Amino acid sequence: MGLISELKLAVPWGHIAAKAWGSHQAAPVLCLHGWLDNANSFDRLIPLLPKDFNYVAMDFGGHGLSSHYSPGFPYHYQNFVSEVRRVAAALKWNRFSLLGHSFGGAVGGMEMDNLLTYKRRAIEHVLQVEASRKPEQVVSPEEMLQRLLKKNSHAGEECGKHLLQRGTTQVATGVWLNRDRRITWAEHCLDFVSRELFMHYIKNLQARVLLVKATEGYYALRREDDADKETVMFVVSSLKSVLKERFQYFEVPGNHYIHMNQPQQVARVISSFLQNKEGTPASL
């Protein structure tokens, strides 16, 4: 299943870039990449999925080939949710499935005791970036790749190069990153919610949900010193207790970028879930 087209969808601050596979008449699936990644994240997985779907992978605002937000307009979790709605409206989708990796697959929130401190730092970060007015840093393609791999060791050299194809711009003296510098830290853009509010959200959820966790995934990559992994199990147990048969959970051997490094490991599970012919849309 080859790439059908590159899309450029108009939004008030510019455009949202996306890429599409499959027939426009087929059941739609919107693919959401992880933090600081881009739509190329799904290039190796989608060809392994069922052919009778229309897959669209979007670049979140400030990522990939999408426009950066206007100065003074912060990146918050709700804004990315709004982008999903904008893309669905532009494509005239009333019902569709969601396929997300890491940040893109977030359906709830997390607790944070020092919420006010976090909010203050988020605001300070945006103001500092705006005040710095530093020009985009241009480096060689090899140095850019090494920087990416240093921060994302699970990606691997081949996958790192693939992400940078869409994530950088070539200039005379090298390349620079396309993404907005204001989104360097995910923690500055997330809005954390209490467990009570999370439970309220999922009690109103009507979709089927598939959660696939790599055994050496997110925590092994970014939270090596964080002993509190109980949050993940809270999310799993809550979804299981509320959604019952509408929730499926699988653990697969691999790391955070398994959908790029070993897409066949997750393709079978996702394909089976998508081809379930129940009336409700899917969320992956």
Side-chain angles (χ1 to χ4, degrees):
M1 178 168 49
L3 178 68
I4 299 299
S5 61
E6 286 276 353
L7 306 177
K8 198 171 183 179
L9 309 174
V11 291
W13 62 91
H15 69 272
I16 291 176
K19 48 201 306 185
W21 295 258
S23 169
H24 297 308
Q25 307 304 315
V29 179
L30 184 60
C31 306
L32 311 176
H33 62 77
W35 191 254
L36 302 185
D37 293 341
N38 55 60
N40 275 14
S41 178
F42 295 98
D43 284 358
R44 298 180 178 184
L45 174 61
I46 288 176
L48 302 178
L49 299 182
K51 305 296 187 291
D52 50 347
F53 287 87
N54 177 26
Y55 301 94
V56 173
M58 62 179 280
D59 291 325
F60 283 124
H63 295 72
L65 302 180
S66 288
S67 298
H68 296 183
Y69 284 5
S70 302
F73 188 53
Y75 289 88
H76 283 319
Y77 177 74
Q78 286 96 336
N79 296 339
F80 296 119
V81 175
S82 176
E83 288 182 22
V84 170
R85 301 296 302 219
R86 288 180 184 276
V87 168
L91 298 174
K92 295 180 172 55
W93 290 353
N94 293 320
R95 291 170 62 84
F96 56 96
S97 296
L98 290 171
L99 171 59
H101 168 242
S102 193
F103 174 80
V107 293
M110 300 168 59
E111 286 187 279
M112 184 177 242
D113 294 333
N114 57 344
L115 185 60
L116 294 179
T117 299
Y118 143 75
K119 285 291 188 182
R120 184 180 69 250
R121 288 177 179 172
I123 294 171
E124 290 174 351
H125 169 73
V126 171
L127 295 178
Q128 288 171 1
V129 172
E130 292 179 351
S132 67
R133 298 184 181 275
K134 291 181 180 179
E136 296 293 340
Q137 191 172 15
V138 178
V139 300
S140 69
E142 180 58 31
E143 182 176 349
M144 186 67 76
L145 175 61
Q146 294 308 314
R147 290 184 179 188
L148 183 148
L149 295 179
K150 184 178 180 180
K151 296 181 179 180
N152 301 276
S153 59
H154 285 196
E157 183 171 333
E158 189 175 351
C159 292
K161 289 180 178 179
H162 196 67
L163 287 171
L164 290 176
Q165 285 178 4
R166 193 177 184 90
T168 58
T169 294
Q170 182 78 46
V171 294
T173 56
V175 296
W176 67 43
L177 285 172
N178 292 337
R179 68 175 183 242
D180 196 322
R181 286 184 294 156
R182 289 175 290 175
I183 61 173
T184 302
W185 299 104
E187 289 78 5
H188 291 155
C189 303
L190 290 170
D191 285 302
F192 298 93
V193 300
S194 68
R195 295 189 176 193
E196 291 77 16
L197 189 54
F198 173 75
M199 290 298 294
H200 175 74
Y201 286 160
I202 64 174
K203 286 178 180 176
N204 289 278
L205 188 61
Q206 298 180 20
R208 295 178 296 118
V209 175
L210 168 67
L211 177 57
V212 182
K213 181 182 180 298
T215 54
E216 301 297 324
Y218 178 80
Y219 280 99
L221 176 62
R222 299 186 188 274
R223 297 282 183 90
E224 293 177 353
D225 299 323
D226 189 345
D228 184 16
K229 301 180 182 180
E230 187 268 338
T231 300
V232 175
M233 299 317 300
F234 167 75
V235 170
V236 172
S237 62
S238 299
L239 288 169
K240 186 179 299 183
S241 67
V242 174
L243 300 184
K244 300 186 183 338
E245 68 277 0
R246 290 190 288 127
F247 175 65
Q248 296 181 42
Y249 174 72
F250 290 90
E251 287 195 3
V252 293
N255 64 30
H256 192 64
Y257 282 88
I258 188 173
H259 67 301
M260 297 187 73
N261 293 324
Q262 299 172 289
Q264 67 279 1
Q265 290 279 70
V266 293
R268 180 183 59 82
V269 177
I270 295 173
S271 297
S272 176
F273 187 77
L274 283 173
Q275 290 178 318
N276 186 315
K277 299 303 182 181
E278 293 182 11
T280 54
S283 179
L284 297 84

